[in-house]
Amino acid sequence: MAGPMGQFAVTPLKSLMIGGFDASFTNSSLWMAVATVAIAIFLFVGTAKPQIVPGRWQAAVEYLYDFVRSMLDENVGPEGRRFAPLIFSIFIFVLVCNLLGLIPWVGAFTPTSHVSVTFGLALLVFVIVCIVGFARHGLHFFSLFWPHGSGILLGSFVFIIEVLSFLSRPFTLAIRLFANMTAGHVLLKVFGTFVVALGSFGALPYVFGVLPLAVNVALSALEVLIAVVQAYVFALLASLYLNDAINLH
């Protein structure tokens, strides 16, 4: 598929049916596995021989982990630190998956450009938040949806709205990441096509091709920034949802 949407096609690399369900190993599965291996290597190199004066890799790992822990301290409080490994794992996995699709010439695939992947991550966060909320507060967790001091009529109305808002969290969390990654890659593909098409136009290919090429370079830099920001936003929202479950704000 040569169109802008062709880059998002999920193709099976190894067909597999389990109980009537398609469990094929696809290009999306492959690049999620690549992301996992890359993360494992990064963490192993950075933590295999910890030193008092950290080297580059150890400093990078410590910086990212401290960044996530500080985010939890700020948004959840001291009790949020127990969830630092979870939020760190989600953050770095989303970040690497976002960045992999920007690698040129190797046919890289962006797993987070598919809503099924982002929804799976968002659903994981949602389930953990619910488990933490009920484990910590029991049925009192439902007070999260009932405004303090409100009457029956107003409270019931607000309760319905808050419950619907709470249940929509995994969808909004998933769609936000998926939409941003998809839109950025489509723009890169479109302007990349302009570079080829206008670059071969007429007798002055370099004149016609230089503008879309410059735009594509700028978009590539912007897409790297978006990949980092969207990983941060995903982790930040997960932290805020945990704060609701822990502190019932």
Side-chain angles (χ1 to χ4, degrees), residues 115-127 129-130 163-178 234 237 241:
V115 72
S116 57
V117 174
T118 60
F119 182 72
L121 292 170
L123 189 60
L124 173 65
V125 172
F126 180 78
V127 170
V129 166
C130 291
V163 168
L164 291 176
S165 175
F166 183 80
L167 294 177
S168 69
R169 284 180 175 182
F171 299 98
T172 56
L173 189 60
I175 292 173
R176 181 183 291 105
L177 176 58
F178 145 75
F234 198 95
L237 290 174
Y241 297 160

Side-chain angles (χ1 to χ4, degrees), residues 14 20-21 33-34 40 50-51 81 85 101 105 111 140 148 157 163 187 190 208 219 226 246:
K14 179 66 175 179
F21 292 95
V34 170
Q51 301 174 349
R81 288 199 171 192
W105 306 306
H140 186 61
H148 180 71
F157 179 71
V163 168
L187 282 175
V190 169
F208 288 105
L219 283 175
I226 290 175
I246 293 172

Side-chain angles (χ1 to χ4, degrees), residues 42-67:
F42 170 67
L43 295 179
F44 176 78
V45 173
T47 60
K49 297 180 179 179
Q51 301 174 349
I52 297 177
V53 180
R56 294 179 182 178
W57 291 104
Q58 182 181 340
V61 173
E62 290 180 355
Y63 174 79
L64 288 175
Y65 192 81
D66 286 342
F67 172 75

Side-chain angles (χ1 to χ4, degrees), residues 218-234:
L219 283 175
S220 298
L222 179 61
E223 192 66 9
V224 172
L225 177 62
I226 290 175
V228 176
V229 169
Q230 287 304 312
Y232 166 72
V233 170
F234 198 95

Side-chain angles (χ1 to χ4, degrees), residues 157-223:
F157 179 71
V158 174
F159 180 82
I160 294 173
I161 294 176
E162 290 293 332
V163 168
L164 291 176
S165 175
F166 183 80
L167 294 177
S168 69
R169 284 180 175 182
F171 299 98
T172 56
L173 189 60
I175 292 173
R176 181 183 291 105
L177 176 58
F178 145 75
N180 277 280
M181 300 312 301
T182 301
H185 282 64
V186 168
L187 282 175
L188 286 176
K189 179 70 173 182
V190 169
F191 277 93
T193 303
F194 286 165
V195 173
V196 176
L198 296 179
S200 59
F201 180 74
L204 300 173
Y206 299 106
V207 174
F208 288 105
V210 67
L211 180 58
L213 177 60
V215 172
N216 219 36
V217 171
L219 283 175
S220 298
L222 179 61
E223 192 66 9

